[in-house]
Amino acid sequence: MRALTLLLLAILGLPLTFGGSYLLALGGSPFYLFSGVVVLITAFGVLKRKRWATPVYAIWLLVLLAWSLWESGLHWWPLATRLGLPAIIGFIMAIPASRRSAAGAAPFAAGMPVLAASILSAVIAFIGIPFHLHETAGKLSMEVVNPDAKTGDTPAAEGDWTAYAGSHHGQRFSKLKQITPDNVNQLDVAWQIRTGDMKGPGDVGETTYQATPLKIGDSLYLCTPHSLAIALDADTGAEKWRFDPQAGMESNRQHQTCRGVAFYADAPATLAAATAVAPTAAAVSAAQCKHRIFLPSSNAKLYALDAETGKLCEDFGDKGAIDLTHNMPNKQPGYLNPTSPPVIAGDTLIIGASVNDNYAVESPSGVIRAYDVHSGKLLWNWDSGNPDATEPFDPANPNQVYKASSPNSWTVFSADTELGMVYVPMGNRVPDQLGQYRNADEEKYTAAIVALDLKTGKLRWYQQTVHHDLWDMDLGSQPVLLDLDLPKGRTPALVLPTKQGDVYVLDRRDGTPIHAITERPAPQGTDVPGEHTVPTQPVSALSFEPPKLTESDMWGASLIDQMMCRIQFKKLRYEGRYTAPSLQGTLVYPGNFGTFNWGSVAVDPQRQVMFGMPTYLAFVSTLIPRDQLKGDTVMNLGEQGINANEGAGYAVKMHPFLSPMGVPCQTPPWGTVAAADLRTGKIAYQYRNGTIRDLSPIPLPIKVGVPGIGGPLMTASGVAFLGAAVDNNFRAYDVATGDVLWNARLPAGGQATPMTYLNSQGEQIVVLVAGGHGSIGTKAGDYVIAYKLKK
């Protein structure tokens, strides 16, 4: 036992001494060097059988306890990792065999001091179990403010789910009430199918299954990562048809995903007019394609399919498809990819596309385009790099070319047909971290919510959320439309969550803030020639922004791991949110995954409240001069690794801020659930969400609060559903309290947004796709799982 004690003391003391010296040289805490020296002195005492060995270690444990409480307060996770290994060593030292020089010999030092100090450390840490950072206790009001609230502009059959978020208002809300807080724990699998579309060995890293199905009539419609469209029986999950666009594999694709399809129901008058001119091919196609499914495909095409048969609607575009590379300035294979479904408002279909981040300065345009749902005729185009040229280009004219690399919009749009506007969340002009390539218009519309006229594409208003974005803080969340009952009266509102954690609440008629937007001083300075920073950045009054990180926020699985995170922290450039990218490496927090991402938030328009999943995971962004890149450097593997920025002076390396053991370097929780009252702009509660069961070698369901990506669903009964977290679980929550009411294991990662509908028996069904997410490493799969209440 004495040999084990010496080994453990050496394992703890040597890294703390050498690492602590380096940390101190970087301007960090001297405590680690002090601790290493004391632990090595203790080891020397044990080796030489000195009576003072255990009292010295006991005193150090008490100092460690006091220092830990001073740095982190009475919070379980920061205390546990600071005190865990030292206390365990203390308990071992208290065993008499650890303090004997030979079998049967009397202990050379007293064990009571170190035992008492170890017990005290453990007790204090356990007292901190109920206390966690980023948590706010409270309760959300469930008062119904507007029982007749609109959930969309287009009437839909009760129990249908006709758009990605239920409707083109983006609410992720259902009026269904069969599943309640009282009975949700009785949910069970109603049916489960596998699509057969799995991630293969030739796929890109970010091959993900993020789809949310639609439900119209007796059918579900969804897409898969490789752009297959599938129709299922809503009662049984039995396949009705599938369409494979043969999109093929392309190694340059940054993302291999499909979030959903769009649905259009032909108006009777339109159909009658079309059939009146029979027997033309267009009339026949219109009659066959009375209802249409629109599929965005990773080969940069948009397909129109007959909702009944899955066959191409040949009157649309070129025999049923539009090639979205038309009028593009650069047509690199795989660089343009429509990952989200279009929004359909009236007879107009509006679509954007993902443009590869940081692969090349000269990339495809981020133009937003509107097409006629029947013919595929281009109606207008709005290009943020040339925003006044909205008259439709001629797809057959090679001289009409969109602006190269202009800011794009890869997520889901929302629309208000009564106001005649489509709301488009914008991204960045590539490269994301280098701003010197942007023109004035691109600067203006980067990371902005843009309201465009549905008929003309002309700008109606915009609101920018980041000035001169150098951090990839593109707007990934779909805007949510609802009416808010405010002191000034009922107001058409737009709710926009951001990666930074701000939630903008605007009057959707003109963009006027409902909850205040202020400008805050931002960190200054950059070491990139020709680059600049801006003096202030906007911030919303309703915000889930985390506090600025400090050295004491560094975490890790042990005291040593934590010290290594502190060393990394001191080596990085970080002056808070919006610290400019740098050659030494910049800490970006909130990170590239964002506090909110494409999953957005769920909003109850009757109670006028929101429910979401704020996530906290710091990233590191490092600029690499091109002349320092080695010829064999592997690049362009997605959001984690080196991206080339071909044509720029710098490549960029990005990755999560992790300890040597692969855990996040900042103190948990890294993932939460939260709710807010949208009328008052006040956060009601925020609690950690998810366990490390699928992250650690030992599958322990310890509730740390883990990151995730995906969206929530809310119902009128006050239940919210959410997968998304990096544990393979699907949960139901009480919207009023945030309590978990139901928790089901999934066969793969559930990084998608759930939906709900009524089957032919009038039973409420909840569906989630489970197929994993390549960027966060959850288990891949091809499952579509439906749940209903047990009979």
Side-chain angles (χ1 to χ4, degrees):
M1 286 297 291
R2 189 164 72 95
L4 174 62
T5 302
L6 285 169
L7 177 62
L8 291 174
L9 289 171
I11 288 173
L12 180 62
L14 289 171
L16 288 178
T17 300
F18 290 105
S21 299
Y22 187 31
L23 178 61
L24 184 61
L26 292 171
S29 171
F31 188 80
Y32 293 86
L33 174 58
F34 162 74
S35 296
V37 171
V38 172
V39 171
L40 290 180
I41 289 173
T42 301
F44 176 80
V46 172
L47 178 66
K48 295 298 184 179
R49 305 177 184 86
K50 299 295 184 181
R51 295 179 58 84
W52 47 261
T54 53
V56 165
Y57 191 82
I59 293 170
W60 174 71
L61 273 180
L62 295 176
V63 174
L64 173 64
L65 175 60
W67 172 78
S68 300
L69 289 169
W70 172 71
E71 274 211 330
S72 62
L74 194 61
H75 296 102
W76 162 250
W77 286 114
L79 289 177
T81 53
R82 284 169 168 82
L83 300 173
L85 179 58
I88 290 171
I89 294 174
F91 281 119
I92 293 173
M93 290 178 67
I95 299 172
S98 299
R99 293 173 283 110
R100 291 192 178 109
S101 56
F108 56 78
M112 187 56 66
V114 73
L115 177 62
S118 299
I119 291 173
L120 179 62
S121 297
V123 168
I124 295 295
F126 279 109
I127 290 174
I129 286 178
F131 305 106
H132 300 269
L133 301 173
H134 296 314
E135 288 204 333
T136 301
K139 190 171 183 178
L140 186 67
S141 171
M142 297 302 286
E143 174 193 5
V144 174
V145 180
N146 180 9
D148 300 318
K150 293 190 302 181
T151 56
D153 290 339
T154 305
E158 182 186 14
D160 275 6
W161 190 270
T162 59
Y164 174 77
S167 78
H168 51 246
H169 280 199
Q171 293 170 355
R172 292 161 181 78
F173 172 79
S174 171
K175 290 183 177 180
L176 299 181
K177 295 182 178 180
Q178 284 185 20
I179 300 171
T180 70
D182 292 329
N183 66 19
V184 67
N185 63 351
Q186 297 300 308
L187 281 180
D188 200 3
V189 174
W191 54 260
Q192 174 179 298
I193 64 106
R194 302 189 69 172
T195 67
D197 187 2
M198 288 284 292
K199 181 178 181 180
D203 271 311
V204 298
E206 190 168 319
T207 297
T208 66
Y209 205 2
Q210 302 173 353
T212 297
L214 308 184
K215 191 268 184 178
I216 297 97
D218 60 0
S219 298
L220 295 182
Y221 302 95
L222 69 152
C223 57
T224 69
H226 295 93
S227 304
L228 280 69
I230 301 176
L232 304 175
D233 184 283
D235 282 357
T236 66
E239 185 172 315
K240 292 185 169 185
W241 56 256
R242 70 169 53 198
F243 171 79
D244 186 351
Q246 300 294 318
M249 302 298 294
E250 174 51 62
S251 60
N252 280 330
R253 286 177 192 153
Q254 194 167 49
H255 312 279
Q256 187 69 55
T257 192
C258 181
R259 294 187 182 89
V261 297
F263 170 76
Y264 174 76
D266 206 344
T270 304
L271 183 58
T275 55
V277 296
T280 66
V284 172
S285 181
Q288 291 174 341
C289 293
K290 181 179 179 181
H291 302 315
R292 301 184 178 211
I293 294 295
F294 289 92
L295 169 70
S297 179
S298 56
N299 60 353
K301 290 186 178 181
L302 175 68
Y303 294 89
L305 308 174
D306 188 314
E308 292 298 318
T309 66
K311 296 185 181 299
L312 288 165
C313 300
E314 295 198 357
D315 61 339
F316 180 81
D318 181 9
K319 297 182 179 180
I322 293 173
D323 185 346
L324 295 174
T325 65
H326 73 76
N327 301 104
M328 281 293 168
N330 299 292
K331 299 186 180 183
Q332 305 101 318
Y335 275 49
L336 186 74
N337 186 350
T339 56
S340 296
V343 66
I344 297 176
D347 290 342
T348 302
L349 177 152
I350 307 101
I351 190 169
S354 173
V355 176
N356 285 355
D357 285 336
N358 303 320
Y359 280 24
V361 171
E362 292 297 322
S363 292
S365 173
V367 62
I368 310 302
R369 289 172 284 193
Y371 299 92
D372 182 276
V373 295
H374 303 286
S375 66
K377 178 184 177 182
L378 182 65
L379 301 176
W380 53 258
N381 31 237
W382 185 81
D383 187 342
S384 57
N386 186 20
D388 296 326
T390 58
E391 289 296 319
F393 282 18
D394 179 359
N397 186 347
N399 296 317
Q400 289 187 311
V401 180
Y402 298 124
K403 179 70 170 60
S405 310
S406 54
N408 65 304
S409 184
W410 51 266
T411 191
V412 188
F413 309 160
S414 298
D416 186 328
T417 55
E418 292 182 3
L419 293 176
M421 283 184 272
V422 58
Y423 303 96
V424 181
M426 296 301 296
N428 312 331
R429 187 211 192 280
V430 295
D432 293 332
Q433 285 79 18
L434 300 170
Q436 59 265 55
Y437 302 95
R438 304 168 189 168
N439 66 26
D441 287 319
E442 290 165 344
E443 283 280 58
K444 183 177 180 179
Y445 298 118
T446 284
I449 180 70
V450 174
L452 303 178
D453 189 282
L454 275 172
K455 292 183 178 179
T456 67
K458 295 290 186 182
L459 179 72
R460 298 275 287 272
W461 60 261
Y462 79 100
Q463 172 65 54
Q464 192 169 56
T465 63
V466 186
H467 307 319
H468 193 61
D469 181 16
L470 301 174
W471 306 272
D472 189 24
M473 292 299 163
D474 50 352
L475 293 176
S477 295
Q478 181 183 14
V480 184
L481 313 183
L482 79 159
D483 295 338
L484 287 179
D485 287 273
L486 304 171
K488 64 180 180 180
R490 186 162 291 169
T491 303
L494 177 148
V495 178
L496 180 70
T498 68
K499 286 185 175 181
Q500 305 92 288
D502 293 329
V503 179
Y504 288 81
V505 184
L506 311 173
D507 187 320
R508 68 176 182 269
R509 294 171 295 189
D510 56 13
T512 303
I514 291 174
H515 298 310
I517 301 171
T518 55
E519 292 284 331
R520 178 193 298 169
Q524 296 298 291
T526 171
D527 51 11
V528 177
E531 188 57 89
H532 72 278
T533 52
V534 294
T536 64
Q537 291 284 2
V539 61
S540 173
L542 174 55
S543 183
F544 293 87
E545 173 193 16
K548 177 182 175 181
L549 289 174
T550 66
E551 186 190 333
S552 62
D553 292 317
M554 295 303 100
W555 200 67
S558 69
L559 197 61
I560 298 169
D561 210 27
Q562 180 191 108
M563 177 188 68
M564 299 302 292
C565 284
R566 289 185 183 236
I567 289 172
Q568 290 186 65
F569 180 79
K570 298 301 291 188
K571 291 172 69 176
L572 294 170
R573 182 179 175 191
Y574 179 67
E575 292 97 46
R577 179 169 151 183
Y578 301 125
T579 303
S582 62
L583 303 180
Q584 75 185 77
T586 291
L587 188 62
V588 181
Y589 187 63
N592 300 62
F593 277 169
T595 306
F596 298 100
N597 205 301
W598 56 263
S600 193
V601 296
V603 167
D604 182 335
Q606 299 175 335
R607 298 180 174 94
Q608 302 176 15
V609 299
M610 60 157 275
F611 179 89
M613 184 186 65
T615 295
Y616 304 103
L617 186 64
F619 262 64
V620 176
S621 175
T622 307
L623 298 176
I624 305 173
R626 185 152 304 279
D627 58 9
Q628 294 183 13
L629 290 173
K630 297 179 181 178
D632 58 350
T633 300
V634 178
M635 293 186 287
N636 295 351
L637 296 180
E639 296 188 31
Q640 298 187 41
I642 298 175
N643 287 334
N645 285 338
E646 194 66 43
Y650 301 87
V652 62
K653 180 181 180 181
M654 296 180 295
H655 57 86
F657 184 37
L658 304 178
S659 80
M661 293 188 67
V663 299
C665 266
Q666 85 260 15
T667 305
W670 312 302
T672 64
V673 291
D677 187 317
L678 293 171
R679 290 182 296 157
T680 64
K682 303 297 183 184
I683 296 171
Y685 60 76
Q686 186 170 10
Y687 300 112
R688 68 194 188 281
N689 180 63
T691 73
I692 60 170
R693 175 171 180 168
D694 297 298
L695 295 177
S696 60
I698 303 174
L700 297 175
I702 300 173
K703 189 177 180 181
V704 176
V706 296
I709 192 164
L713 160 71
M714 264 205 291
T715 68
S717 63
V719 177
F721 293 91
L722 180 68
V726 294
D727 58 357
N728 299 331
N729 286 65
F730 186 28
R731 296 178 174 89
Y733 305 80
D734 187 326
V735 173
T737 64
D739 293 340
V740 175
L741 303 172
W742 172 77
N743 190 352
R745 289 288 290 167
L746 295 169
Q751 282 71 54
T753 301
M755 52 81 74
T756 188
Y757 64 91
L758 292 179
N759 66 11
S760 66
Q761 306 303 309
E763 300 168 307
Q764 185 178 353
I765 306 292
V766 177
V767 171
L768 179 70
V769 163
H773 194 291
S775 286
I776 56 179
T778 50
K779 184 179 178 181
D782 61 342
Y783 298 88
V784 183
I785 309 174
Y787 301 86
K788 70 176 183 179
L789 294 172
K790 299 174 185 176
K791 290 185 178 180

